[in-house]
Amino acid sequence: MSSWPDDPDLGPVVLTGAQIAARVAELGAEVAGDYADHPPLLVGVLKGAFVFMSDLARNIPLPVEIDVMAVASYGAGTTTSGVVRIVKDLDTDLTGRHVLVVEDIVDSGLTLSYLRRNLRARQPESLEVCALLVREGRQRAPLDLRYTGFHIPPEFVVGYGLDVNQRYRNLPDVRVYCGPAPVE
Ligand code: IMP
Ligand code: MG
């Protein structure tokens, strides 16, 4: 197995770990300012958001709570069908809570639009979204993101939580994936 530097499936670096860290610190400060009076419940969308949420949470100097849910979209390869299913639900009752959904990447926006509808039905006091990455030019649903880390070009990327076939999540940078199409 090849190591990161010479992995032929990895293309150019889109964001270095250092660039991400700097932006996540800014996002954390922004969230802390906005939620100073009512610390949020961070809802991480697994698995992709696990790295981002862990860094973001440590950059919010407030007593936040953390929960996770896992969703899977039906459909093959590197695109979303828009049909989403909850694989692991939250432990927390959202009634009256200030919920901040933490997402790795928004592509079509269909996953997010499903999640929003689903979570809003649970009567939170507020519901906002923080997405690390937004891929340009692909949105098929209104995004309405309260916080966005970066806009990236329309290429499939891996690293910092993002995978292909469950690999590359532990890559510290975000890089273009240029290997074979993933198997579903
Ligand atoms: P959407 O429903 O089209 O917005 O897709 C969002 C989900 O697809 C994300 O939460 C990711 O899990 C996955 N995804 C979209 N683009 C990428 C990518 O470039 N790399 C890895 N996963 C991606
Ligand atoms: Mg994924």
Side-chain angles (χ1 to χ4, degrees), residues 80 103-111 135 156-157 162-163:
T80 307
E103 256 283 31
D104 53 356
I105 182 166
V106 180
D107 185 25
S108 67
L110 294 172
T111 302
R135 187 181 282 108
F156 197 81
V157 292
L162 297 162
D163 74 307

Side-chain angles (χ1 to χ4, degrees), residues 15-39:
L15 297 163
T16 65
Q19 287 174 311
I20 297 169
R23 183 68 185 122
V24 172
E26 290 175 355
L27 289 172
E30 224 182 298
V31 171
D34 294 346
Y35 287 88
D37 300 332
H38 46 277

Side-chain angles (χ1 to χ4, degrees), residues 47-158:
K47 300 173 191 168
F50 86 104
V51 178
F52 177 41
M53 182 158 80
S54 124
D55 284 344
L56 181 68
R58 284 175 292 174
N59 279 280
I60 304 172
L62 296 176
V64 300
E65 288 177 44
I66 288 174
D67 204 344
V68 289
M69 63 192 295
V71 298
S73 60
Y74 294 105
T78 54
T79 55
T80 307
S81 64
V83 183
V84 179
R85 136 183 90 96
I86 294 179
V87 177
K88 184 220 172 291
D89 207 344
L90 299 170
D91 297 328
T92 316
D93 179 2
L94 300 189
T95 314
R97 302 300 304 267
H98 291 280
V99 174
L100 180 57
V101 175
V102 180
E103 256 283 31
D104 53 356
I105 182 166
V106 180
D107 185 25
S108 67
L110 294 172
T111 302
L112 194 57
S113 130
Y114 168 84
L115 268 183
R116 232 192 253 276
R117 245 177 300 132
N118 185 289
L119 297 179
R120 197 171 282 136
R122 307 183 197 193
Q123 317 279 319
E125 178 68 26
S126 68
L127 179 64
E128 301 290 349
V129 178
C130 176
L132 179 68
L133 307 175
V134 175
R135 187 181 282 108
E136 297 283 4
R138 302 257 310 163
Q139 281 69 59
R140 290 157 62 191
L143 295 187
D144 189 23
L145 302 173
R146 176 83 173 262
Y147 309 95
T148 303
F150 302 92
H151 292 263
I152 61 165
E155 279 167 307
F156 197 81
V157 292
V158 294

